[in-house]
Amino acid sequence: MRLAGAHVVLTGATGSIGSRLAERLAGRGARLTVTARSAEALDELAARTGALAVPADLADEGGPASLLTSAQDRHGPVDVLVHNAAVEVAGRLEELDADGLAAAVALNVRAPLELTRLALPGMRERRRGHLVLVSSLAGVATFPGLTLYGATKAALTQAAAGLSLDLRGSGVGTTLVEIGPVSSTMMSRVRDHPPTAAAFTRAARLRVLRDLDPDEVAGAVVAAVEANRRHVRLPRRAAVLAATAGLPRAVVRTALVGIEG
Ligand SMILES: NC(=O)c1ccc[n+]([C@@H]2O[C@H](COP(=O)([O-])OP(=O)(O)OC[C@H]3O[C@@H](n4cnc5c(N)ncnc54)[C@H](OP(=O)(O)O)[C@@H]3O)[C@@H](O)[C@H]2O)c1
């Protein structure tokens, strides 16, 4: 997908990775709509990148639809949807409250699926579109304290695989982003839960994981969209984990649609 002139809707745009994505997408000439809840942070980002700011709470039932309506009213049909917003939840499941659990599922899973459901008919009709689903290695690997977060990311990873199959030949591409820990405020909050922090420290000591730079992630995502690549897996040393976990999907896909699928 050529980004110059494309209307890109980016969720979670004010976060550690989102703000770098916004800068890089704007740098490639995209017509950008940025969204998050905090209007002040969004306005600052919009001023810096020339983006259209549309505040929305995507955990609310009507949030995805109202975001899409505002974005399309002002910037026209959506060409690229970047599903980047998510909430991390570190802790034992039984220690979480019911509202927090519902909000995490709504933001991390329902919102990207709902936005996609709403945007896809137009993309299919125009035979032009690209979906980016920002998942996590926590969707394929198990970390203590990340039961809920990992489950939501596993759902997103599986959704990306299903979408890419359903969208074959439609002109609409997908990119699944499976990344390890990123130097970010999200990661520092995750590390507040001692068992999770200990697991990441051990993974780093074993050299399985290293902290990624948010700009490194943003650069890889933008390059993947432009090259219509189906996967971004970082850090490279852990990519084998995601590829191995994705093997059953890849085997069945090849059996069903052939090696070119
Ligand atoms: N950081 C990591 O180590 C890491 C590792 C693997 C994968 N990831 C994934 O990468 C993506 C970005 O992570 P990040 O570290 O950049 O996160 P972050 O810094 O915590 O940013 C989260 C973004 O989502 C927005 N947001 C939160 N709740 C929302 C809601 N209810 N409705 C709409 N927007 C909401 C936040 O803005 P407001 O609070 O103003 O709404 C913010 O813009 C996520 O999908 C995450 O799961 C991150």
Side-chain angles (χ1 to χ4, degrees), residues 12-18 35-38 56-59 83-88 107 134-137 149 153 179-187 189:
T14 55
S16 304
I17 298 171
T35 187
R37 288 167 305 178
S38 158
D57 188 338
L58 295 177
H83 300 297
N84 170 68
V87 63
E88 85 294 345
L107 179 64
V134 181
S135 188
S136 167
L137 286 180
Y149 177 75
K153 290 301 180 181
I179 47 176
V182 178
S183 308
S184 60
T185 46
M186 176 182 279
M187 204 55 213
R189 288 192 301 261

